[in-house]
């Protein structure tokens, strides 16, 4: 009688070797930044060393955007990026949130023009959900941090 042990769905495909996993995760950090890290860099004294770019529509920008961000909808990047951005300064793109690939498309357009670029994971949704201030056409606003996305009473997630 042959006994077979069922492998659970997580391990049906074995994990990568540690060196392969390290290369993969290191590569991910080349392309992405998270909301908390962007907020911390912007809040620190001095130049953060990058510019934040909101790639959404004007209506979305007016509804709320990161203070100090440059507004450049993705469709306008090819014709306006050179006038609005300094090629020597890395750009961090964002759009609505994890369900939107607008920041990815904006990052691609900028990279194809020769800009150094990262995408901000979580987008504007997680910026607001983590309790960071944002600007609207009416002024500055801030929501209480969502305890599902940010620790209550802490300045950062501790990641």
């Amino acid at each position: 009688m042959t006994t077979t042990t069922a492998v659970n769905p997580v391990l049906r495909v074995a994990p990568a070797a540690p060196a392969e996993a390290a290369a993969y995760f290191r590569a991910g950090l080349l392309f992405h930044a998270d909301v908390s890290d962007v907020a911390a860099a912007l809040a620190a004294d001095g130049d953060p060393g990058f510019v934040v770019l909101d790639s959404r529509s004007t209506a979305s920008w007016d509804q709320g955007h990161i203070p100090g961000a440059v507004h450049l909808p993705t469709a306008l990047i090819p014709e306006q990026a050179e006038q609005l951005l300094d090629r020597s300064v890395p750009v961090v793109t964002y759009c609505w949130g994890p369900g939107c690939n607008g920041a990815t498309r904006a990052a691609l357009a900028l990279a194809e023009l020769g800009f150094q670029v990262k995408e901000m994971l979580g987008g504007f949704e997680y910026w607001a959900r983590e309790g960071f201030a944002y600007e609207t056409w009416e002024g500055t606003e801030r929501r209480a941090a969502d305890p599902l996305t940010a620790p209550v009473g802490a300045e950062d997630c501790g990641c």
Side-chain angles (χ1 to χ4, degrees):
M1 176 188 237
T2 305
T3 306
T4 56
T5 305
V7 176
N8 70 53
V10 173
L11 298 176
R12 192 170 294 140
V13 174
E20 291 176 65
Y24 172 84
F25 293 117
R26 184 175 296 107
L29 294 173
L30 294 172
F31 304 108
H32 300 110
D34 72 18
V35 167
S36 293
D37 289 344
V38 171
L42 293 175
D45 290 333
D47 180 1
F50 61 88
V51 64
V52 178
L53 184 137
D54 185 315
S55 64
R56 301 171 303 148
S57 69
T58 299
S60 299
W61 168 267
D62 288 346
Q63 190 172 322
H65 58 271
I66 295 173
V70 171
H71 181 226
L72 181 57
T74 301
L76 301 177
I77 288 174
E79 63 188 63
Q80 294 183 11
E82 299 285 339
Q83 292 82 28
L84 295 175
L85 302 169
D86 179 343
R87 194 179 301 280
S88 69
V89 178
V91 179
V92 176
T93 63
Y94 75 91
C95 61
W96 272 113
C100 175
N101 68 1
T104 305
R105 287 184 279 119
L108 173 60
L110 288 165
E112 288 176 339
L113 291 172
F115 288 88
Q116 295 175 58
V117 64
K118 288 189 176 202
E119 178 183 6
M120 185 178 79
L121 299 175
F124 181 73
E125 175 188 351
Y126 276 74
W127 183 273
R129 287 182 73 184
E130 290 190 23
F132 299 117
Y134 57 93
E135 296 174 344
T136 73
W137 65 274
E138 295 178 307
T140 302
E141 294 187 28
R142 172 179 259 145
R143 296 179 181 194
D146 180 338
L148 295 176
T149 65
V152 176
E155 289 189 29
D156 65 36
C157 65
C159 296

